Amino acid sequence: MKPTRTSDGETGPFADSDANRLDEQRRIIDQLDGEILRLFNERLEVAARIGAIKARLGLGVRDTRREAQVFQRLMSLNRSSLLSNRYVVRVFAALMAAARDVQGSDPRPADGFGTPALFAVFGNPVVHSLSPVMHNAAFAATGYNGIYAAIRVKDIRPAVSGMRALGLKGASITLPHKESVLACLDYIDPTARRIKAVNTIVNDGGSLKGFNTDCDGVIRALAEKISIKGRRVGILGAGGAARAVAFGVIGRGAAATIFNRSREKGEALAVDLGADFRPLSEFAAEGCDILVNTTPVGMSPQEQDTPLCSAQLKPGLVVMDIVYNPLKTRLLREAEAAGCETIDGLSMFVHQGVRQFELWTGLAAPVEIMRMAVEAELMTK
Ligand code: ATR
């Protein structure tokens, strides 16, 4: 037997037989890949037939509801301990994009089609950010040629200069840079200026423009359940998130009351935005149609905490929590038990990402797929 060198430098008969095993396993992989490819093509042939039927019926190529159903079914079918749902979403998002191509879907935008358009989230810490998984799924699902990465950034100014130099098409900005980034940009959207925070940069031909999509995220998440105009909205907390929520709902014709632990911070925000102020301990559901928790209370690992006691809730109140880790916070569980309508924090997160996607690509965002990609990621964490 010919002595073979292993990766750690040893020689001997084991190395030889392992080399054979490796070849053997690789042959199996090659065979399986061939079968998968054949199945992919078979699937595309069915997609082409569906495309012809859709054309005869006068239906559009894109059916996001059907796509979401396909994902949901696949995720519930997938019982594997090896294959995590995040890969199920990625693989099938790419397959669906190919199917839409076969069905002759709308042409893709000119830029971001040749070399990939680059995007990143700048934050510190950023390792747990769900934005890459969400946006990459959206790119795959729409066939947009983009790549999105998480970059840990300690100092935002050189990072933004780097973005200019490298020609990144867009960036998400997260803690702790949402306020300090304003000074690095060429243009600030009026909403972001008023909220004093930017969570999105669009590179518009070299001009860096700052937006705040957290505000849209809250409004769109709420609007899925209730009309906002004329409602009384109670907001728990008085930080940056509360500012975005208050600005958003007041702008949509609601009356907002800030309920905060510290009077000084709560009153300052209320005066600035034209809201009322009450101490957090005085919250009473009777005066509200909608309640939004913007405090971190109830976030993992303090999952047993809640900003209100269940007796303070009432049936029919719409309760939204911007905490999404866990998805069902104690506040939302108790709200459900009290007969309230609930909205989890993922809705706001996904909708702020939806608005980012629209700003960056000019395409309609695949909302359900983005939500599913994030849910899959949370399930496997
Ligand atoms: P963000 O910018 O993400 O909204 P923040 O600026 O730290 O975060 O604001 C968090 C808000 O949650 C604050 O209003 C804070 O209340 P104080 O102003 O009294 O500090 C509120 N908050 C944080 N922890 C809280 C707790 N355990 N109970 C009640 N409110 C809390």
Side-chain angles (χ1 to χ4, degrees):
M1 191 179 286
K2 177 164 62 78
T4 313
R5 191 167 288 277
T6 61
S7 58
D8 52 8
E10 282 179 26
T11 56
F14 282 124
D16 201 23
S17 56
D18 269 345
N20 288 338
R21 280 191 203 106
L22 186 61
D23 283 346
E24 189 188 320
Q25 295 306 311
R26 283 184 169 158
R27 271 194 299 277
I28 298 174
I29 290 272
D30 287 347
Q31 195 182 344
L32 287 170
D33 283 350
E35 281 175 44
I36 291 169
L37 199 59
R38 185 184 60 72
L39 284 170
F40 279 2
N41 278 297
E42 212 172 297
R43 192 184 191 283
L44 286 180
E45 281 166 24
V46 180
R49 290 201 290 277
I50 290 176
I53 298 169
K54 281 182 183 166
R56 282 200 296 279
L57 292 173
L59 299 173
V61 167
R62 194 84 205 254
D63 184 346
T64 50
R65 198 164 292 274
R66 164 69 185 153
E67 288 180 3
Q69 284 165 355
V70 171
F71 279 114
Q72 238 137 21
R73 180 173 168 275
L74 289 166
M75 281 163 60
S76 61
L77 277 179
N78 180 33
R79 300 259 171 260
S80 166
S81 56
L82 291 177
L83 178 64
S84 74
N85 276 329
R86 89 178 79 155
Y87 294 111
V88 173
V89 168
R90 276 195 215 170
V91 168
F92 280 86
L95 268 176
M96 285 182 203
R100 283 197 303 278
D101 266 0
V102 163
Q103 295 180 354
S105 71
D106 307 333
R108 286 175 269 190
D111 58 349
F113 185 55
T115 51
L118 302 178
F119 300 86
V121 50
F122 296 155
N124 187 18
V126 82
V127 68
H128 296 296
S129 171
L130 295 168
S131 292
V133 110
M134 177 171 70
H135 284 298
N136 285 321
F139 294 153
T142 53
Y144 183 85
N145 190 11
I147 296 174
Y148 187 111
I151 303 179
R152 183 167 168 240
V153 163
K154 289 185 188 158
D155 187 352
I156 192 66
R157 187 168 283 281
V160 172
S161 301
M163 177 178 176
R164 284 181 202 276
L166 298 171
L168 265 68
K169 191 158 168 52
S172 307
I173 305 298
T174 188
L175 297 175
H177 304 306
K178 284 187 181 187
E179 285 101 35
S180 51
V181 75
L182 267 79
C184 312
L185 302 173
D186 303 314
Y187 166 85
I188 315 281
D189 167 77
T191 298
R193 194 179 292 283
R194 195 75 181 87
I195 298 172
K196 298 180 186 156
V198 159
N199 77 328
T200 308
I201 303 177
V202 176
N203 187 343
D204 185 6
S207 169
L208 298 188
K209 300 182 171 173
F211 297 85
N212 187 304
T213 70
D214 288 333
C215 189
D216 298 290
V218 175
I219 297 302
R220 291 180 187 204
L222 283 173
E224 282 183 344
K225 298 270 177 161
I226 186 171
S227 65
I228 296 167
K229 194 167 189 303
R231 305 288 183 183
R232 298 159 304 166
V233 184
I235 300 166
L236 309 185
R243 175 173 276 275
V245 174
F247 180 77
V249 295
I250 291 169
R252 297 302 186 289
T257 304
I258 307 290
F259 294 90
N260 198 46
R261 183 178 57 180
S262 71
R263 175 175 283 275
E264 203 182 331
K265 197 167 167 182
E267 272 181 348
L269 179 62
V271 167
D272 190 19
L273 293 183
D276 288 331
F277 169 78
R278 296 268 178 287
L280 183 58
S281 53
E282 288 179 19
F283 175 81
E286 283 63 39
C288 294
D289 306 302
I290 299 171
L291 168 68
V292 184
N293 173 44
T294 74
T295 76
V297 181
M299 191 188 287
S300 175
Q302 265 82 49
E303 297 184 15
Q304 69 294 341
D305 290 352
T306 178
L308 299 175
C309 66
S310 52
Q312 288 174 286
L313 301 165
K314 65 161 190 195
L317 183 70
V318 174
V319 179
M320 175 168 167
D321 202 334
I322 70 160
V323 172
Y324 58 75
N325 180 23
L327 214 47
K328 257 208 185 144
T329 57
R330 179 171 166 196
L331 174 67
L332 292 188
R333 277 187 277 119
E334 292 184 349
E336 249 173 40
C340 305
E341 180 96 68
T342 60
I343 307 173
D344 65 40
L346 213 50
S347 300
M348 174 186 168
F349 177 74
V350 169
H351 280 292
Q352 63 80 33
V354 162
R355 183 72 193 119
Q356 291 186 319
F357 183 89
E358 292 168 352
L359 284 167
W360 291 330
T361 68
L363 300 173
V367 186
E368 288 89 352
I369 287 171
M370 291 168 80
R371 180 168 176 111
M372 231 152 269
V374 176
E375 271 178 9
E377 182 72 5
L378 285 174
M379 276 162 62
T380 51
K381 275 203 161 161

